[in-house]
Amino acid sequence: MSMNDCFEKLELLKGVNLDDHSTSSSSLTGASLSSLVDLRLIEGAAQLDDSKFRAVHQISLRALEHNYYIVESAACNQRCDVICVLKADAYGHGAIDTATHLVDKVGANAFAVATLKEAIELRKALDSSSNNERLYRKFHGSEPLEQLSTRRDSFIRILVLGPPVGFPRCFNDYYHYQIECTISGPEVADALKQWVSNPFDIKRHLVERVSQATKQEFSTNLTGNPEREKQVDEGSTEISTVVTNSSALTDFSQTSVSKHLSSIGMKSATLNSTSGENLAKEFRQFLQTEQKVAAAAQEATGLSKTSTHSAKEEKETATTQKFQGIEAAARASVQRQAEEGQPAFVDKSLDKDDSESISSTSSFLMFTAGSSKQRLRWHAMVDSGMARDGFKTECFLDGEGIQRDTVEIIQELVNLQTYGAAPIEFFGMCTHMADANLTSTYTSSQIHRFKSLLKRVRNAGISVPTISTDNSSALLTPNLTHFDSFDLLEQNFGLNSHGFVRCGGALYGQRSSFTQLQTVSTLIATVRHVAVVKRGHSVGYDRAYIAPHDIRIATLAIGFGDGYPRELGNGKGHVYIRDSLYKVVGNVCMDMLMVELGRASEFSEVRVGDTATLWGGSGVPLATVASTLGTTQSALTCAIDKSRVLREYVV
């Protein structure tokens, strides 16, 4: 397009208010309306990255890897492994993407979050092969897909640090998704015992979840596979007959079970054994339907359609009937077992055919005693001085005024596991350090209280598989000698405890005391407007800033609605534009903020479309911004609204 064309379009649009919706459409001819659109495209193209973003939160994957190795090295020095903390969406850095990168690039295999919802989302993402490929392409571009790490084939631990909510029902989710939980007090321990005491409810919930996952998978595969839809359409009459005929539900398809468990991300550690002869037989029956449906559809491919209009209705009926049968069979099996009074968590003897079928399902409904069964892993959270949650280290009075002892509570749950064959597993003890720094002695007193309880637990004959005490600061502060690996990890019986550190802030470079760490977060925004403000005129809401002389200001497309703190207005906050530092003037608005570029009479290189760095990168350090506000770096990154601010990962 020539310059003359551009000038003609500008002339055409003179006097037209683009934001005035009252402008009559008849006042613009077809040609002029087309010209208006063209000009908007021209203007957009002139704004550099205007069409791509208004504000971006950049995550440095290189810095993330560097920080992990720093943490891992320090953990190895005290004979510990690392649990990467991803709570609050990985401190605002993106939990799923961060976890995926840490698994693939540095071999991380244990993560901690704050809520069960976070844990379930993470488990589903890490178990999804399609998500793995998407993230691999995102981080590694056009590199051969064969380079995709196989580390995710091994079981990845996910621990919820926050206290369980909605117990005892929430334990069904912990159990189903193989999420480790922290038992944070006597009330939660009592709820866990209540959950264990009702095995039929556990079984029913697990069966329902698997049947729902199967139904969703079947529907997805059906609608996403045109050839499969065609086969079902053409053979709908035969398929409907197979599904509705109860006599056809006679056997068990090992192939379909293995395929289903693999497709929904259930590894061997998730579904490993079957209990209850009735339940196993009925699952063999309705899973066989899948094989019969596929066979009938295959045979029907050579037949002509009998009725195009009714084919889709018959297909939908077949699918509905099939999964209603699954759910009904599961409920009926649970009810019959209850009526027959079958003892909980005990396998009945199986005939040869049953044992072969059950072994093929490998991890479905584990309610038998033994090392191969599925269990809900739990950790005893100890309050060693944080006063937030956890068991007391000494005897205490519960909410009803009854004296309780933490050791006795742990012993009761371990006995249910050992002698009652309950599907739970005591997996460790953990605590949290409240004031780990160079000058504090409080960390030593905390670890002393924790060790006193740990000793009493071991003296009661209870083996403690894992120990987790240190956070980022406790791990990296050089003069702290609280963690004695011999005292904490050595046991006089069985295997020694396995030590872990739980680090979040250090991974994201948010511990400014440790200069070996690198900041992962950089926040940038675009300049949207540049103008001159006359002396005596105000800037922003409440006229909080009055220009002392003629000044030039730039408006950035970010505000407190995006997560940039409102408290940084009127000179407290600073940003970098074109390698120069400028102060924020006026109150920070919800969607924008203004910075002073200097006197209007002075030359300024800042232009609309320029990028401004609000923290990180080559701009103001995130630690400086946090210090200015008297807050933490994690509070700033957690506040970034990911729905308004683009999150970008930089390799």
Side-chain angles (χ1 to χ4, degrees):
M1 182 180 293
S2 68
M3 290 298 295
N4 288 335
D5 292 334
C6 291
F7 284 124
E8 289 177 5
K9 294 180 186 298
L10 287 171
E11 289 296 326
L12 179 65
L13 290 172
K14 279 186 177 180
V16 176
N17 184 354
L18 300 183
D19 297 320
D20 184 4
H21 300 290
S22 65
T23 303
S24 171
S25 59
S26 61
S27 64
L28 291 174
T29 65
S32 64
L33 184 59
S34 173
S35 300
L36 184 147
V37 175
D38 287 345
L39 184 60
R40 282 181 168 173
L41 292 175
I42 294 169
E43 290 176 339
Q47 303 306 315
L48 299 178
D49 292 326
D50 169 64
S51 61
K52 295 183 179 179
F53 66 88
R54 56 187 290 274
V56 176
H57 184 203
Q58 291 184 333
I59 313 298
S60 171
L61 297 178
R62 190 182 303 276
L64 183 67
E65 295 170 29
H66 168 85
N67 295 339
Y68 179 87
Y69 289 130
I70 293 294
V71 168
E72 184 181 48
S73 176
C76 286
N77 290 336
Q78 55 187 44
R79 296 170 55 192
C80 291
D81 286 330
V82 180
I83 297 176
C84 303
V85 180
L86 302 176
K87 60 183 181 178
D89 202 20
Y91 291 41
H93 296 75
I96 292 174
D97 289 352
T98 298
T100 302
H101 188 72
L102 289 173
V103 169
D104 290 340
K105 295 296 290 185
V106 300
N109 61 7
F111 299 98
V113 293
T115 69
L116 179 58
K117 181 176 182 292
E118 292 176 336
I120 293 173
E121 290 174 352
L122 183 59
R123 172 66 75 210
K124 289 180 177 179
L126 291 175
D127 285 351
S128 169
S129 58
S130 60
N131 186 63
N132 295 348
E133 181 176 348
R134 177 185 68 82
L135 293 174
Y136 183 82
R137 292 299 188 201
K138 179 177 183 179
F139 292 150
H140 306 291
S142 59
E143 292 182 22
L145 188 61
E146 290 74 14
Q147 300 298 321
L148 179 60
S149 172
T150 59
R151 290 183 175 125
R152 253 171 281 172
D153 292 341
S154 61
F155 185 71
I156 296 175
R157 292 179 54 206
I158 301 177
L159 167 67
V160 176
L161 296 173
V165 176
F167 50 74
R169 290 181 61 86
C170 67
F171 295 127
N172 290 314
D173 287 325
Y174 282 98
Y175 181 78
H176 175 68
Y177 291 103
Q178 284 292 272
I179 307 297
E180 299 173 23
C181 69
T182 53
I183 304 302
S184 53
E187 298 83 4
V188 184
D190 292 341
L192 183 59
K193 288 189 287 186
Q194 180 185 347
W195 178 76
V196 166
S197 69
N198 199 340
F200 300 114
D201 265 0
I202 300 174
K203 187 177 296 186
R204 175 174 58 82
H205 280 96
L206 188 56
V207 170
E208 288 175 353
R209 288 183 183 280
V210 174
S211 67
Q212 290 168 3
T214 308
K215 181 175 181 179
Q216 182 178 6
E217 176 211 359
F218 182 84
S219 301
T220 301
N221 291 342
L222 190 63
T223 56
N225 188 337
E227 185 62 28
R228 173 66 168 158
E229 289 189 68
K230 179 181 178 182
Q231 291 174 355
V232 175
D233 280 340
E234 294 175 347
S236 58
T237 303
E238 290 79 0
I239 293 172
S240 181
T241 302
V242 171
V243 174
T244 56
N245 184 1
S246 60
S247 64
L249 305 178
T250 58
D251 200 6
F252 177 81
S253 170
Q254 298 184 14
T255 303
S256 62
V257 172
S258 300
K259 179 181 178 182
H260 162 65
L261 294 179
S262 175
S263 65
I264 63 175
M266 293 296 185
K267 297 182 174 59
S268 59
T270 305
L271 297 173
N272 250 342
S273 173
T274 302
S275 167
E277 185 178 12
N278 292 336
L279 185 64
K281 287 181 177 179
E282 298 200 23
F283 262 85
R284 288 194 291 275
Q285 290 172 353
F286 59 69
L287 287 173
Q288 175 66 16
T289 304
E290 173 72 10
Q291 188 179 42
K292 290 182 178 289
V293 168
Q298 184 67 30
E299 294 174 2
T301 54
L303 302 177
S304 60
K305 289 187 178 180
T306 57
S307 172
T308 304
H309 177 72
S310 62
K312 290 187 177 180
E313 294 180 358
E314 292 181 8
K315 178 181 66 175
E316 293 173 357
T317 301
T319 303
T320 302
Q321 289 174 336
K322 172 182 176 181
F323 290 104
Q324 285 178 344
I326 291 177
E327 294 162 359
R331 288 194 295 269
S333 174
V334 172
Q335 183 176 355
R336 274 195 297 276
Q337 290 190 19
E339 292 172 353
E340 293 169 4
Q342 295 181 9
F345 311 120
V346 177
D347 267 350
K348 298 179 69 177
S349 60
L350 305 173
D351 56 34
K352 182 178 179 181
D353 292 337
D354 287 340
S355 62
E356 290 176 356
S357 298
I358 288 176
S359 64
S360 69
T361 64
S362 206
S363 148
F364 193 72
L365 295 180
M366 282 200 340
F367 292 91
T368 62
S371 60
S372 63
K373 65 175 289 186
Q374 176 185 345
R375 299 176 184 271
L376 189 164
R377 289 177 172 176
W378 65 277
H379 302 250
M381 175 61 74
V382 178
D383 178 12
S384 61
M386 186 76 173
R388 185 170 63 180
D389 64 349
F391 289 101
K392 300 298 182 183
T393 56
E394 303 293 341
C395 293
F396 61 94
L397 296 178
D398 64 14
E400 298 179 356
I402 300 175
Q403 182 166 304
R404 307 284 297 272
D405 182 19
T406 298
V407 177
E408 293 178 356
I409 295 173
I410 294 176
Q411 183 73 75
E412 290 173 1
L413 288 171
V414 171
N415 287 345
L416 285 174
Q417 166 190 331
T418 305
Y419 305 113
I424 57 176
E425 179 182 4
F426 176 51
F427 208 63
M429 295 173 61
C430 52
T431 191
H432 195 69
M433 299 304 162
D435 190 35
N437 57 59
L438 287 169
T439 60
S440 175
T441 60
Y442 193 64
T443 299
S444 295
S445 62
Q446 276 193 266
I447 207 72
H448 175 76
R449 286 191 286 270
F450 178 79
K451 285 196 295 186
S452 68
L453 177 60
L454 178 63
K455 182 178 179 179
R456 291 203 297 127
V457 169
R458 287 171 173 163
N459 287 342
I462 302 172
S463 177
V464 183
T466 68
I467 298 294
S468 172
T469 62
D470 280 12
N471 53 17
S472 296
S473 296
L475 173 68
L476 297 178
T477 301
N479 70 328
L480 290 181
T481 58
H482 63 287
F483 193 97
D484 186 323
S485 60
F486 181 83
D487 283 350
L488 286 168
L489 303 181
E490 298 289 334
Q491 298 189 121
N492 294 327
F493 52 90
L495 297 175
N496 290 333
S497 299
H498 194 138
F500 285 90
V501 297
R502 306 184 310 274
C503 292
L507 289 178
Y508 312 113
Q510 295 183 354
R511 295 294 180 267
S512 54
S513 300
F514 312 116
T515 56
Q516 67 270 41
L517 301 175
Q518 297 178 2
T519 302
V520 176
S521 168
T522 299
L523 183 63
I524 62 177
T526 52
V527 175
R528 308 304 306 122
H529 182 71
V530 176
V532 172
V533 176
K534 295 292 186 179
R535 178 177 178 273
H537 288 197
S538 60
V539 176
Y541 285 115
D542 305 324
R543 304 193 69 218
Y545 181 79
I546 306 297
H549 43 257
D550 292 357
I551 62 172
R552 194 183 308 275
I553 65 163
T555 302
L556 309 186
I558 191 170
F560 65 79
D562 303 290
Y564 188 79
R566 190 174 186 273
E567 295 77 10
L568 288 175
N570 265 335
K572 288 187 177 180
H574 293 79
V575 305
Y576 268 90
I577 308 175
R578 291 180 178 264
D579 297 324
S580 295
L581 185 66
Y582 301 103
K583 68 177 181 180
V584 178
V585 294
N587 288 329
V588 175
C589 308
M590 182 180 292
D591 313 299
M592 292 175 279
L593 62 84
M594 289 70 72
V595 298
E596 181 180 345
L597 303 178
R599 291 178 176 271
S601 58
E602 298 174 352
F603 174 76
S604 174
E605 294 182 342
V606 177
R607 298 290 183 268
V608 171
D610 282 350
T611 297
T613 303
L614 292 92
W615 69 57
S618 59
V620 180
L622 178 61
T624 301
V625 178
S627 177
T628 299
L629 295 174
T631 187
T632 63
Q633 298 177 58
S634 57
L636 293 172
T637 53
C638 284
I640 298 175
D641 188 342
K642 65 179 180 181
S643 67
R644 291 168 57 102
V645 178
L646 175 68
R647 185 178 287 159
E648 181 179 72
Y649 293 89
V650 181
V651 179

